[in-house]
Amino acid sequence: MNKRLKTSFGLAEPKAGLCFLMKSFIYINLLVFFLHQVLPKVPVPPLKQTLDTYLKCVQHLVKEEQFKKTKAIVEKFGAPGGVGEVLQKKLLERRDKTTNWVYDYWLEDMYLNNRLALPVNSSPVMVFPKQTFRDHKDALRFAARLIRGVLEYKALIDARALPVDFARGQLAGTPLCMEQYYRLFTSYRYPGLKTDVLKVQMNAASSVPEHIIVACKNQFFVLDVVVNSKQLNETEILSQLEKITKMAENAEERLPPVGILTSDGRTEWAQARDALIKDQTNRDSLALIESCMCVVCLDEPSGLEPRDTTRALLMLHGGGREKNGANRWYDKSMQFVVGMDGVCGVVCDHSPFEGIVLVQCSEYVMKYITGSPSKMARASSIRELPPPRRLLWKFNPHIQGHLAAAGDRLQRLVNNLDMDVFKFKVYGKEFIKKQKMSPDAFIQVALQLAFFKCSGRLVSTYESASIRRFQEGRVDNIRSATPEALAFVKSMTDERATFTDSEKMKRLRDAINAQTNYTIAAITGMAIDNHLLGLLRIAKELNMEKPEIFCDETYLASNQFILSTSQVPTTVEMFCCYGPVVPNGYGACYNPQSDHIIFCVSSFWENTGTSSAVFVKVLNEGLLEIRDLCNRGSAAATKLADCSQGSSGH
């Protein structure tokens, strides 16, 4: 049991402490077990409710003629004795038989069936504050501390000693499912020709040596973190990292940059992997990567000015093959990046867990690095450790062809990503709360206003809503482009100034209430997207002809999320970002703090209809306009109150 865990319980005397600690672990485990037992299953919403909500969500986003056609199709689908009722009945049966009826459907639809490359398109990143390293050794010291922090966090997870998360925001205080944490360091995503496979080593045999993979100069090394049943301390990790960087510098032994294959489209990577595994050497190397705890990428300096936007880009794609784009292994769920120039962060495969789990882990590690004094042992206490091992690869011209093609495709992705990290400093969530409004709903309405200012319309919008109140819950979608949001943004952009401030304020409150109500529906398992997906998948399993509702152009368009948004709040200085999910779309991740809001807006240069800089400009304008409206509203209310008080004094 390491000292840090003991001190966190405030225990001085080791034996009594250990006993108390074990009792605490048992108590916590029982609590977690109990909570997991009592967490309800994800509900299946009533069919009519979902169909009515679906029509309400799409009516104002499509042309009138098209909506009429959609309404007829939906009514036919939901009619008594119709296809919808048959599918609903089967879905309810599935709910009874499974822990979570939507989990597999959602995972395949959202991630595993997606053929796009993981960097930019799928993998979110956490960008750490810029580090100032004095020299190369200083950077390796930081990496050694980071690895120790990861080992401490993993020990908490393995002991099932993480405190249970409770919901914040809407319906705060409900206990949440903790399953996602147990996949942080035990998951691996295998590329497939048609669909990927996510494997989680639950209760892996203790004989498996605990190791991490270190990437350095596009080479991969095995760093055993347990030697002779004893975990490496910080000094030992540092000495191993120093050996790795020396080995990586040896040009004669340098192998082609195999990591770049993992940045390719999933089908292309699956094909390349099939070619790789024909050779035993490659199979052995892959097995070591696939069973590792995490990857630590020691990046070369990029030569770029480390502004927020640049750091975000470098985390998302490594800067391409000329920089650190091949110094990655994207299939592994956690990749910690330590750049020699101080550009640091985490890249994660999104399929095993959500952003909040990434945040909790990142914050723990950052607090570990900055919090406790360095535990560098004296030189005399360093053990003789077996040297780290370089992973070997055998290449033939066919595999070399895959490498070259993957490099070209990554470069295109790098050149195409238009990213703008914007810190809105005028106000943050404290101002919004003073208006008696939900900060998340407020920001969502502001994003709708920004999109409307850019394109004169609203589009299908995705905002992730956690359904961790339920067993094995992941997310559903809050459809933020509500009719009420449209009414508000029209009043704010009306050229003829036909709306009074009080009308605009009423529309703003209506939009925020609609957003809040949809949020509550989503987090309580009553949103529409998972339900519709479930009905579609049941139809497929029954070998039915695809129901017309799912072939309708309205449904297809409603699942093209041109605006993909997510709130990822942090308590430590860092921010999360990701790319757009469609070629003509925006990714908008935001981090509300008490007096400022960080927005990370992404789009693709190739699409002439989008521009991250333009979006950020109008978002800034809109946030100021809404503030001014609220302030005028408050002033008017105060004046009215003063007047009424004055008149009542007579």
Side-chain angles (χ1 to χ4, degrees):
M1 197 61 63
N2 62 45
K3 280 194 193 119
R4 195 173 158 79
L5 282 180
K6 281 186 231 169
T7 53
S8 72
F9 277 82
L11 302 164
E13 209 276 306
K15 275 188 183 155
L18 199 61
C19 177
F20 174 76
L21 193 59
M22 292 321 289
K23 278 183 184 164
S24 301
F25 278 175
I26 292 163
Y27 171 70
I28 290 164
N29 287 340
L30 283 170
L31 181 65
V32 171
F33 175 75
F34 173 68
L35 283 169
H36 195 72
Q37 293 307 97
V38 297
L39 283 183
K41 286 184 176 189
V42 178
V44 174
L47 181 64
K48 184 179 184 320
Q49 178 184 301
T50 290
L51 297 180
D52 290 348
T53 307
Y54 168 59
L55 289 174
K56 187 179 182 232
C57 286
V58 298
Q59 180 167 8
H60 56 296
L61 302 180
V62 300
K63 292 194 170 73
E64 202 179 333
E65 273 309 299
Q66 193 182 326
F67 180 71
K68 272 187 194 157
K69 184 182 152 202
T70 297
K71 191 166 187 271
I73 291 169
V74 169
E75 283 169 357
K76 183 182 159 198
F77 179 79
V83 177
E85 283 193 353
V86 174
L87 300 177
Q88 177 79 349
K89 184 168 172 283
K90 288 284 181 199
L91 204 51
L92 289 165
E93 286 169 16
R94 178 179 165 87
R95 180 180 187 256
D96 293 341
K97 290 198 289 255
T98 54
T99 310
N100 181 320
W101 65 265
V102 73
Y103 186 86
D104 293 340
Y105 290 168
W106 174 88
L107 184 65
E108 287 160 21
D109 180 70
M110 187 72 124
Y111 296 113
L112 305 183
N113 294 344
N114 194 332
R115 302 291 79 206
L116 293 173
L118 296 186
V120 178
N121 301 303
S122 176
S123 295
V125 302
M126 189 59 73
V127 183
F128 290 170
K130 163 85 171 67
Q131 302 300 312
T132 312
F133 298 137
R134 291 186 299 277
D135 52 26
H136 195 78
K137 180 149 188 181
D138 206 22
L140 293 183
R141 263 192 216 102
F142 179 90
R145 301 218 62 198
L146 181 144
I147 290 168
R148 269 305 323 163
V150 168
L151 293 174
E152 302 258 329
Y153 194 68
K154 186 174 182 294
L156 286 174
I157 293 172
D158 291 348
R160 300 240 154 183
L162 279 183
V164 172
D165 287 344
F166 287 89
R168 293 181 297 215
Q170 301 298 333
L171 310 184
T174 319
L176 303 176
C177 176
M178 297 295 285
E179 274 311 296
Q180 294 178 35
Y181 287 95
Y182 306 119
R183 296 195 280 264
L184 262 173
F185 300 110
T186 53
S187 299
Y188 190 84
R189 181 163 168 178
Y190 292 82
L193 294 170
K194 289 204 171 79
T195 183
D196 286 4
V197 174
L198 177 65
K199 283 199 181 155
V200 184
Q201 298 167 287
M202 279 314 205
N203 311 324
S206 52
S207 61
V208 177
E210 291 213 330
H211 65 279
I212 63 174
I213 295 292
V214 179
C216 182
K217 292 186 186 292
N218 305 339
Q219 309 293 293
F220 294 89
F221 301 86
V222 180
L223 169 59
D224 290 313
V225 291
V226 176
V227 174
N228 297 332
S229 312
K230 186 168 174 281
Q231 243 182 28
L232 269 58
N233 62 33
E234 207 176 304
T235 313
E236 291 169 335
I237 293 169
L238 175 62
S239 111
Q240 296 292 68
L241 291 176
E242 287 176 318
K243 287 175 200 160
I244 283 172
T245 53
K246 281 215 168 60
M247 289 164 77
E249 270 159 21
N250 183 343
E252 285 94 79
E253 289 182 25
R254 205 169 288 165
L255 296 158
V258 67
I260 207 153
L261 294 172
T262 68
S263 77
D264 210 346
R266 302 307 287 169
T267 300
E268 291 83 354
W269 165 217
Q271 289 164 339
R273 189 177 177 280
D274 285 346
L276 273 174
I277 57 176
K278 290 191 167 78
D279 186 282
Q280 185 62 47
T281 303
N282 298 339
R283 284 204 294 278
D284 294 344
S285 291
L286 282 168
L288 282 161
I289 297 179
E290 289 159 5
S291 60
C292 76
M293 209 162 77
C294 63
V295 178
V296 173
C297 311
L298 304 175
D299 275 9
E300 295 298 296
S302 70
L304 302 169
E305 191 200 333
R307 294 180 309 122
D308 285 355
T309 297
T310 312
R311 298 204 318 279
L313 287 165
L314 290 169
M315 281 305 123
L316 282 162
H317 52 49
R321 61 177 162 204
E322 300 309 312
K323 294 193 165 41
N324 296 294
N327 205 46
R328 299 281 183 275
W329 199 274
Y330 283 100
D331 297 353
K332 189 60 204 166
S333 47
M334 293 293 275
Q335 298 191 83
F336 295 90
V337 178
V338 179
M340 297 300 119
D341 53 4
V343 175
C344 304
V346 189
V347 186
C348 80
D349 165 36
H350 212 336
S351 61
F353 47 80
E354 302 317 322
I356 186 65
V357 175
L358 171 66
V359 171
Q360 299 281 45
C361 176
S362 303
E363 292 196 341
Y364 183 94
V365 171
M366 280 309 283
K367 283 173 185 163
Y368 180 88
I369 292 169
T370 54
S372 50
S374 184
K375 296 196 184 69
M376 288 290 176
R378 283 185 301 282
S380 60
S381 66
I382 295 192
R383 295 180 283 168
E384 271 297 310
L385 296 170
R389 312 187 292 292
R390 181 194 299 264
L391 291 183
L392 301 174
W393 306 96
K394 290 279 169 61
F395 293 93
N396 57 33
H398 177 57
I399 295 167
Q400 294 280 17
H402 279 292
L403 278 175
D408 290 344
R409 282 189 282 266
L410 177 62
Q411 211 49 49
R412 280 210 292 279
L413 197 54
V414 168
N415 297 339
N416 196 9
L417 184 60
D418 173 12
M419 184 89 204
D420 201 324
V421 177
F422 160 57
K423 195 181 222 176
F424 178 75
K425 294 179 179 169
V426 182
Y427 60 87
K429 59 186 180 190
E430 288 313 310
F431 169 79
I432 303 170
K433 284 179 184 168
K434 281 197 182 112
Q435 313 307 312
K436 308 224 173 345
M437 295 173 185
S438 144
D440 186 67
F442 182 100
I443 293 167
Q444 282 291 330
V445 172
L447 288 168
Q448 293 300 320
L449 177 57
F451 192 90
F452 191 84
K453 280 172 171 257
C454 283
S455 58
R457 64 186 182 125
L458 292 191
V459 288
S460 271
T461 303
Y462 183 97
E463 183 195 357
S464 51
S466 171
I467 51 168
R468 282 175 60 208
R469 285 169 169 72
F470 304 103
Q471 289 180 48
E472 289 180 19
R474 291 290 300 267
V475 295
D476 205 337
N477 174 21
I478 302 165
R479 289 185 168 264
S480 309
T482 60
E484 293 83 356
L486 181 59
F488 169 67
V489 302
K490 279 183 168 171
S491 74
M492 290 296 280
T493 53
D494 177 50
E495 298 285 304
R496 295 160 308 183
T498 36
F499 296 91
T500 63
D501 278 354
S502 65
E503 283 169 328
K504 287 178 187 174
M505 268 316 288
K506 183 187 181 305
R507 288 184 174 207
L508 174 59
R509 292 201 182 275
D510 288 348
I512 283 174
N513 288 340
Q515 177 69 19
T516 303
N517 292 339
Y518 205 122
T519 301
I520 291 167
I523 62 181
T524 55
M526 288 291 148
I528 64 171
D529 284 74
N530 283 354
H531 189 194
L532 290 170
L533 173 66
L535 297 168
L536 170 62
R537 287 293 300 266
I538 292 280
K540 195 177 175 188
E541 283 170 18
L542 295 174
N543 288 322
M544 285 167 66
E545 192 181 337
K546 191 190 263 191
E548 197 181 359
I549 182 174
F550 302 119
C551 306
D552 178 33
E553 57 186 303
T554 300
Y555 179 78
L556 300 173
S558 79
N559 280 288
Q560 287 288 305
F561 295 108
I562 291 171
L563 191 52
S564 175
T565 71
S566 187
Q567 176 183 218
V568 184
T570 62
T571 60
V572 173
E573 194 199 335
M574 53 172 77
F575 60 87
C576 177
C577 55
Y578 49 81
V581 297
V582 290
N584 59 336
Y586 288 103
C589 191
Y590 52 97
N591 181 347
Q593 297 294 318
S594 59
D595 61 350
H596 67 275
I597 309 164
I598 301 166
F599 291 95
C600 301
V601 176
S602 60
S603 59
F604 291 120
W605 291 110
E606 273 173 17
N607 187 281
T608 51
T610 54
S611 159
S612 298
V614 170
F615 191 94
V616 158
K617 182 176 170 288
V618 296
L619 177 61
N620 182 54
E621 275 171 22
L623 286 163
L624 295 174
E625 286 166 12
I626 300 174
R627 175 205 59 178
D628 294 345
L629 174 67
C630 290
N631 286 343
R632 289 197 303 272
S634 301
T638 309
K639 196 172 170 185
L640 199 67
D642 289 349
C643 285
S644 63
Q645 270 182 340
S647 61
S648 64
H650 289 294

